[in-house]
Amino acid sequence: MAQYWSIARMLMDRRVTAVPRRVLGELIRRGRRRIPRELEQSLGRLIPGLKGIQFVQRWLAGERITRHAGQWVINSFLPPFPGRAYDRMFENLLSGRRLSPVSAFLAVTAECPYRCWHCSFKNREPGELDTGEWKRAITELHSLGASIIGFTGGEPCTRADLPELVEAAAGGGASTILFSSGAALTPALLASLKAAGLWSVCISLDHPDPAEHDRLRGVPGCFARAAQALRQASALGFYTMVGAVGTRSLVDDRLLPALHRVARECGAHELRIVEPMPCGLLAQDPGEVLLDERRIRALRDFHVQTNRAGTPPKVCAFNQIESPELFGCGAGTQHLFIDARGEVCPCDFTAMSFGNVTRIPLPEIWTGMSEAMGNPRRHCFIHRHHALLLQHSQGRFPLAPEASLQVCRAAGREELPDYFQQMLGSGSR
């Protein structure tokens, strides 16, 4: 019932609905549908209809809507609202582009003092952009309408110009997230990032036991540093997250509730879980660590049940948000990734380049990549097609653009995830 009234409050807040209503009116005039019919009908009214509230409630049945710094937050896949980044998501529907990126993550460096067992960024071609090159890329992301810009690596806190890059991203209207191991994240740097406009800090914690976390990350004491950084970030008013790799051990040994408890004790607002990915250090022989359907279902159930229980922090498991029943995989169609040398890839884990931002305008790369990747998919691209990437890689990552196109052709298309089928009223490809 509390969730129902939160949704009703959101839909009756003009700051939340004004831009969607304006965009909806224009789309109707153009004869285009870009949101599901029940939501369209509700937003078309001055006071939202019961069916519209019920539709949103069904969509958010496994989520926990919270308030942070005067805004609503569903999870870190979407920008907080009301706000510029949220409005931008809807305004993108009028851009004339087939697709626009909701989010973009930038690996601003390959440098990292840790030796994590699962690192998805290892074994890529070396190189690093300077401050001016990154700021140009960020400006182009604004022109594409990216609502969320995340800074990752490597360890992004090793870059002295990180606050300057965050300021460029936040100042242009994007919600900004820092993904860090906690290494080099000092109180002084946190204060500088807060002043630069950073919205959220996500710190890696892979196990509730400090010794096991330190072993997995390859450096003694890194659990304590991560926990301290989380508490400091929370005290400064950031939307804080624990980022975890959902291993077989966490599922089989029933350690997820303990990890959730640690996240709460560290002041986190969200526990963000991604399963092991067949890339980076796990690219060659991932079979022993990837999750099977039973374990994936266990992660999804943990996401839903914990959020429904209402005990903080909320849980955001990738394989729930990106499930066929919800939004599916948006690699290259809803999301993009730029690595440390400027290669533009569909996502952090899919090491296929479609061009380099230092040589080709980003909007041109995005158009080619989104057309090659097709529509949002029902299944994770890298999980389903990692063998294809190995076949075309010649031992080098990311794949060159021509090889990336070959992989896309071989992978083919998929039916749309359920959300987009509801939007279009069909099972369109």
Side-chain angles (χ1 to χ4, degrees):
M1 183 59 70
Q3 183 93 321
Y4 181 92
W5 289 115
S6 292
I7 292 168
R9 282 178 61 197
M10 291 186 323
L11 291 178
M12 287 188 286
D13 186 342
R14 282 187 52 81
R15 297 173 304 159
V16 173
T17 60
V19 170
R21 282 177 175 154
R22 175 172 60 79
V23 170
L24 171 63
E26 180 60 29
L27 290 173
I28 290 172
R29 283 191 289 274
R30 296 182 188 182
R32 298 170 65 193
R33 173 171 294 159
R34 298 296 291 272
I35 60 176
R37 185 181 296 277
E38 288 172 286
L39 186 57
E40 177 182 285
Q41 292 172 343
S42 185
L43 285 174
R45 303 173 183 174
L46 184 61
I47 298 177
L50 179 62
K51 285 187 177 180
I53 295 174
Q54 290 174 334
F55 171 83
V56 177
Q57 187 179 30
R58 287 197 304 273
W59 167 39
L60 299 177
E63 305 302 328
R64 182 169 173 267
I65 305 170
T66 55
R67 296 280 287 173
H68 180 262
Q71 294 177 296
W72 298 99
V73 183
I74 297 174
N75 56 50
S76 52
F77 270 68
L78 296 168
F81 55 93
R84 291 172 67 191
Y86 165 82
D87 289 346
R88 182 179 279 177
M89 282 198 311
F90 292 93
E91 290 164 344
N92 279 343
L93 301 180
L94 301 176
S95 68
R97 288 187 294 272
R98 190 177 69 90
L99 296 167
S100 294
V102 174
S103 55
F105 291 171
L106 317 181
V108 292
T109 181
E111 298 300 317
C112 182
Y114 290 176
R115 302 182 297 278
C116 305
W117 66 278
H118 62 274
C119 182
S120 62
F121 200 71
K122 292 293 186 185
N123 302 328
R124 284 181 177 250
E125 292 292 301
E128 192 162 297
L129 305 189
D130 62 28
T131 304
E133 290 170 325
W134 275 123
K135 290 176 77 170
R136 282 192 294 275
I138 289 168
T139 297
E140 290 184 311
L141 283 171
H142 291 318
S143 74
L144 281 172
S147 291
I148 298 172
I149 297 179
F151 295 88
T152 182
E155 174 48 65
C157 295
T158 61
R159 277 195 74 122
D161 61 356
L162 181 60
E164 186 177 353
L165 300 182
V166 167
E167 185 175 23
S175 292
T176 49
I177 305 175
L178 171 67
F179 296 95
S180 172
S181 62
L185 187 52
T186 64
L189 178 56
L190 279 169
S192 294
L193 293 170
K194 185 70 174 177
L198 185 69
W199 168 57
S200 177
V201 174
C202 181
I203 306 292
S204 300
L205 278 179
D206 286 335
H207 202 279
D209 177 66
E212 181 62 10
H213 172 85
D214 290 359
R215 185 187 71 82
L216 293 170
R217 294 277 163 172
V219 176
C222 61
F223 180 97
R225 283 192 290 276
Q228 182 181 39
L230 279 163
R231 294 188 180 99
Q232 291 167 343
S234 181
L236 282 173
F238 290 105
Y239 181 80
T240 50
M241 297 184 282
V242 164
V245 178
T247 61
R248 293 182 179 185
S249 173
L250 284 179
V251 175
D252 295 347
D253 298 338
R254 300 182 180 180
L255 293 171
L256 290 169
L259 184 61
H260 184 259
R261 207 160 41 245
V262 169
R264 181 169 65 253
E265 291 167 356
C266 291
H269 300 95
E270 181 175 314
L271 172 58
R272 180 181 169 114
I273 307 172
V274 60
E275 60 189 285
M277 294 290 183
C279 59
L281 292 181
L282 303 182
Q284 295 295 331
D285 188 23
E288 293 301 311
V289 297
L290 297 187
L291 303 188
D292 56 18
E293 286 301 319
R294 177 184 66 82
R295 294 180 174 100
I296 288 172
R297 171 51 61 185
L299 267 185
R300 293 184 61 186
D301 288 346
F302 179 71
H303 171 122
V304 172
Q305 292 167 9
T306 307
N307 287 337
R308 286 180 177 171
T311 303
K314 69 181 69 176
V315 175
C316 180
F318 273 40
N319 46 27
Q320 171 66 12
I321 302 296
E322 297 188 342
S323 67
E325 295 81 8
L326 290 175
F327 300 102
C329 174
T333 59
Q334 307 287 298
H335 177 77
L336 67 85
F337 173 72
I338 307 177
D339 76 10
R341 64 195 299 262
E343 301 294 338
V344 183
C345 303
C347 79
D348 326 27
F349 311 115
T350 306
M352 303 191 310
S353 174
F354 287 84
N356 191 292
V357 291
T358 64
R359 297 189 291 273
I360 305 171
L362 183 55
E364 181 180 332
I365 299 173
W366 170 255
T367 297
M369 179 169 66
S370 62
E371 289 177 351
M373 294 295 289
N375 293 311
R377 295 168 176 267
R378 294 185 70 82
H379 303 94
C380 172
F381 188 93
I382 188 62
H383 267 275
R384 180 154 282 199
H385 301 297
H386 61 89
L388 271 177
L389 270 72
L390 283 177
Q391 291 172 19
H392 289 81
S393 70
Q394 298 180 338
R396 301 178 66 182
F397 290 100
L399 274 62
E402 183 51 44
S404 300
L405 290 171
Q406 291 173 9
V407 168
C408 289
R409 287 192 287 268
R413 302 293 178 97
E414 291 187 22
E415 283 190 344
L416 287 169
D418 287 0
Y419 172 84
F420 297 98
Q421 291 193 31
Q422 287 179 328
M423 183 172 72
L424 298 174
S426 70
S428 301
R429 295 172 70 87

